[in-house]
Amino acid sequence: MQQQEKLTCEGASSQDARERVEALRREIEHHSYQYYALDAPEISDAAFDSLMRQLRQLEEEHPELVDPTSPTQRIGGYVGEQFVPVKHAKRMYSLDNAMDLDELDDWVRGVEQELGAFPQLCLELKIDGSSIALTYEQGALVRAATRGDGTTGEDVTGNMRTVSDVPLRLRQGSTSALASPDAPIELRGEVFMPKKSFDALNAAAERAGKQQFANPRNAAAGSLRQKDPLVTASRNLSTYMYAVADEALLPVGGQWELLEWLRSAGFHVNPDVARASSLSEVHAFCEASLKKRTTLPYEIDGVVVKVDSFAQQAELGYTSRAPKWAIAFKFPPEEKTTLLKDITVQVGRTGVLTPVAELEPVVVAGSTVARATLHNADEVHRKDVRIGDTVIVRKAGDVIPEVLGPVLSLRPDDALVWQAPRVCPSCGSPVVTDRNEVALRCISIDCPAQALERLLHWASRQAMDIDGAGTEIIKRLVELGRLSDVADYYSLTAEELAMVETSRANSEGFHIRLGSTVAGKLVAAIEASKSRPFGRVVNGLGIRHVGKNTAELLVQAFPSMEALMKASIEELSQVDGVGETVAESICTFMRTPDNISVIERLDAAGVTMALAQAAPGEEVPQTLAGLTFVLTGALATSGMTRDEAGERLRAMGAKVSSGVSKKTSYLVAGEAAGSKYDKAVKLGIPVLDEAQFLAMLETGEPPVMP
Ligand code: AMP
C-alpha cells in the first residue's frame, strides 16, 4: 500500500507510466499472494479493487504497456488454440494406492528395506481434483496442461489463467536461485473446486433445470474444458501445487523444501503437511486427516506419503504407472449400497412425522449404518426410493448418514412405493400438512410419541441434564400415565419409581423393578435439575425453532420467564438471530393455555425462572461485554466442552455466536479447527488458541492481538 499515494495517473509520461504500471502490478501480485496463497489479506477487498482499477486505467491510457502477465489480463489475455495436445516434458505419473493402514505399513517397510534405513517422509493431503502442469518461461506463465494419458495432455492455458491463485508470473527473487533461470520450468499440482463453489454451481444448475455434476472432481475437470474462459472464471476454481517436472532446476533437495520454494514463488500450497520419521507419526497424520476431512472446505480422498529426499526418490525410481517413492493412502469409501428393508415413520417432539429408512446394516466410512432419515415425504418421492430397493448410502465422517438414491438396475419387480401416513403412527390422530412446509405433522396434544420426545429433550444434556432419565424408563412412565408433560417430572417420588416394572424380565419371567437405588438417584438428578440456568430451561421447553443458541440469545434479552411470556412478536424479532418465524413460534407457544399451565407448575416446583442474579460480592465482572465470540475445534487441554466454554464467556458478558462473520470479535480455535478458522483468517478476525482463551477466562481481559 505504500506506493498508493504516488500512483495517481494524471499527466504520466510514458517512462513514469511504465514505472507506475510495474509498481502497481507488483503491489497487486503481492496482495493476491497474501489473499490466495497465504489466506492472510493485508488490505480490504475494496482497496484491492481500487488498485486494480488504477492499473486498468493506466493500461488503457498506455496500451503499449499491456502485457499478458498483467493481473488485468487473466481473462482474454491469452490467445491460443484451446485443447491442443501438449507433450509433457516429463511423464505425469499416477499414484499407487494403499487401501488401509496395513498396506501402507507394508509399503513403508518395503521402502525402508530398499533404502537400508527408515526414510524421512513428507505427508500431504490427497486433493480430489484434476492434475495440472503449469509451465513458466522467464518467470511468466506460458502454458497450462492437463495430465491426459500422462505423456500427452491438453492445453488449457486460457482457462487456467482465470484461476485466481495461479500466479501469472513467479514472485520476484524466486527464480534467481534457479539452476538455469531462463530454462522453462514446469510445476505441477491439483486444480480443484472448493465445496462451496460446487454447491453453488449445482444449485444454479438445478434452478436452471440443467444436469448437475456428480462431485467436485468432475466439476473441476469439466470447468477446465470450457470453450469460454469466462465460464471457467465463474467457477471459482483453486489450486494446490506440490511438484516440479525436473527437480534438478530448483535449489532444493527434497519434497518439503520444494513445497517451501513453491510457496515462495507465489503458488498456493496446502498448509496441511507434515514430516514423519516413524510409522506412528504417519498413522497419526492419516487419522487426523480423516477426522478433519468433512470440515475442510475442499474434498480430499486420502493422504499422499512421499519419500522426502530427491536422491532417495531417484534411487527408488518408478514403475510404468507410478513412482515407487510415493503412495496414496485412500480413505475408506464414504458410499456403499445396501437393501432398503422398510420405511418407518418417527414422530418428533413437535409432532413432525419423519420417514426413516430401515436398512440392512452396512459399514460406511468406518461405522455401521442401519437407519437413515429420509427427511420428509417429498424427499422419498423425489429420490424415488422404494421398499425392497438396493440404495446408495453415504456417510461422510461424522456427518449423519444419508440415502442418496436407488440403484435402478437392481430394483425388484415387487419393490413397494411408500405411502405417506394419513394418521399419526403413535396416536392415530389425522395428520396435517403445514402451510409453506413439506412436513407432515400430528397436532394432537395427547400424542404419546411427542410427549416422549419432549420429555427426553427436557432431560437431555443440553437442557436440564437429568442423569438416568433414559428412553426406556421415560417410555415406561409415559405408558403408565405418570409422565405426560415436563412438569410431571417434579412430582415423581423415589417410592413410586422404585416399584416401576421395567421391560426386562428375570429368570422366572417376572419384570424387574427399577429398585430403590436407581430410583433414588433419578429423583436426586431431577431435584438437581431445578437449578439449571434459565437458558437451559427455555431450551428444554422445546419451543419450535428455539434451540440451545437461540434460547441463550433470548434469555439475555428477556431475563425472566415472565418477560419472555409477555414479549410481543415485534419485541422478540429485535433479538439478534431471531427472525419472524421464530418470534411467531415463541408467541404461539407462550399463549397456549396448556403450555402456560406447564410453566406455572414448573415455577411452583422451584425450577429456575430467571437469569441468575449474582449475589453482591460474587458478581462476575462483565469485562467481555460487547464482544462476540465463535468457538471451533476441541478444547483438548482443558477438556472443556464448547457449551461450557460458551457459558463461561456469556457469564462475563460476551455474546457467543455459531458462525463467523464480520461482527465476530474473536474466534476461539481448539484442535482440529475447521472451516470457521479459514473464514476467520480470511476476514482478519483475531484467533485465540486454547491457552490464550484460558488466560482470558482467568484474567477477564481479552488479549490484545498484534
Ligand atoms: P489417482 O488419480 O487416484 O490415481 O491419484 C493420483 C493423483 O492424485 C495424482 O495424479 C494427482 O493428480 C493427485 N494428487 C492429489 N493430491 C496430491 C498430492 N498431494 N501429491 C501427489 N498427487 C496428488
Side-chain angles (χ1 to χ4, degrees), residues 340 343 384-391 406 411 415-418:
L340 177 63
I343 296 177
D384 184 26
V385 282
R386 303 184 188 177
I387 299 161
D389 265 341
T390 295
V391 290
R411 172 167 287 169
L416 251 182
V417 176
W418 178 75

Side-chain angles (χ1 to χ4, degrees), residues 93-95 124-127 131 147 190 242 304 306 330:
Y93 286 92
S94 180
L95 285 170
E124 297 169 22
L125 299 180
K126 187 167 183 294
I127 314 297
S131 280
R147 181 170 78 180
E190 201 79 356
Y242 48 71
V304 186
K306 299 175 181 173
K330 289 280 202 155

Side-chain angles (χ1 to χ4, degrees), residues 96-163:
D96 279 337
N97 293 328
M99 300 314 287
D100 54 37
L101 289 177
D102 284 346
E103 283 187 29
L104 181 60
D105 292 356
D106 288 348
W107 176 82
V108 177
R109 286 204 193 91
V111 167
E112 183 181 3
Q113 210 166 33
E114 187 87 8
L115 296 173
F118 197 98
Q120 173 82 257
L121 298 168
C122 182
L123 311 175
E124 297 169 22
L125 299 180
K126 187 167 183 294
I127 314 297
D128 203 4
S130 246
S131 280
I132 194 78
L134 305 174
T135 305
Y136 290 79
E137 265 175 36
Q138 318 228 329
L141 174 67
V142 292
R143 190 175 323 105
T146 63
R147 181 170 78 180
D149 64 2
T151 315
T152 311
E154 282 180 326
D155 188 330
V156 287
T157 315
N159 287 338
M160 277 308 288
R161 287 175 57 91
T162 71
V163 177

Side-chain angles (χ1 to χ4, degrees), residues 180-203:
S180 37
D182 290 340
I185 179 164
E186 183 181 320
L187 305 160
R188 296 170 172 180
E190 201 79 356
V191 52
F192 62 94
M193 184 175 285
K195 290 176 186 168
K196 227 168 140 187
S197 316
F198 174 73
D199 292 342
L201 177 65
N202 266 357

Side-chain angles (χ1 to χ4, degrees), residues 375-436:
H375 303 290
N376 54 55
D378 277 9
E379 180 96 346
V380 178
H381 296 127
R382 193 176 60 75
K383 288 189 169 156
D384 184 26
V385 282
R386 303 184 188 177
I387 299 161
D389 265 341
T390 295
V391 290
I392 302 168
V393 181
R394 179 179 166 83
K395 183 172 187 302
D398 299 335
V399 173
I400 298 165
E402 186 190 7
V403 174
L404 292 184
V407 182
L408 288 176
S409 56
L410 296 178
R411 172 167 287 169
D413 293 338
D414 59 354
L416 251 182
V417 176
W418 178 75
Q419 301 293 344
R422 287 163 192 240
V423 295
C424 170
S426 170
C427 68
S429 317
V431 296
V432 297
T433 315
D434 267 12
R435 180 172 49 103
N436 304 332

